[in-house]
Amino acid sequence: MYYLNGTEVGRSRMPGGAVSFTTSSSATVTNAAEEKAVVTIGPGKLKNGSNVLAVELHQANTNSSDIVCGFRLSASVTAAT
C-alpha cells in the first residue's frame, strides 16, 4: 500500500477494503522480483514543500521471515498555464 502525506494513494497485491496489520498480501513475489506497479497521483495530493511517500508491507503468510522493498520514483509535472 502506498501513502502520500498520510493518505492512501494506491495498492499492489492487497485486497480491497479495510486493512490492518494482520491482513495478508494476496500474492507472493519470489526472488525479490521487480514489480512495476504504477500509481498515479493527482496534483491535488501534493503540497508545497516536502511531501512524504510511504509504503506499508504485508506478507502473504505468517511463517515467512523475509521482506524486501525497493523503490523507483518517476515524476511528470505539467507546467502551469
Side-chain angles (χ1 to χ4, degrees):
M1 297 178 62
Y2 310 101
Y3 297 88
L4 180 64
N5 300 321
T7 300
E8 183 182 336
V9 292
R11 293 181 182 204
S12 178
R13 298 179 190 241
M14 288 296 293
V19 173
S20 74
F21 72 96
T22 61
T23 304
S24 296
S25 171
S26 60
T28 61
V29 177
T30 59
N31 298 323
E34 180 180 8
E35 176 180 311
K36 295 186 180 193
V38 175
V39 177
T40 302
I41 301 170
K45 303 269 186 197
L46 294 169
K47 62 181 184 176
N48 287 331
S50 297
N51 289 272
V52 176
L53 179 63
V55 173
E56 183 176 307
L57 300 175
H58 290 255
Q59 296 278 56
N61 56 57
T62 58
N63 62 357
S64 180
S65 62
D66 61 332
I67 291 180
V68 176
C69 181
F71 274 100
R72 185 181 322 189
L73 177 64
S74 175
S76 298
V77 179
T78 304
T81 55

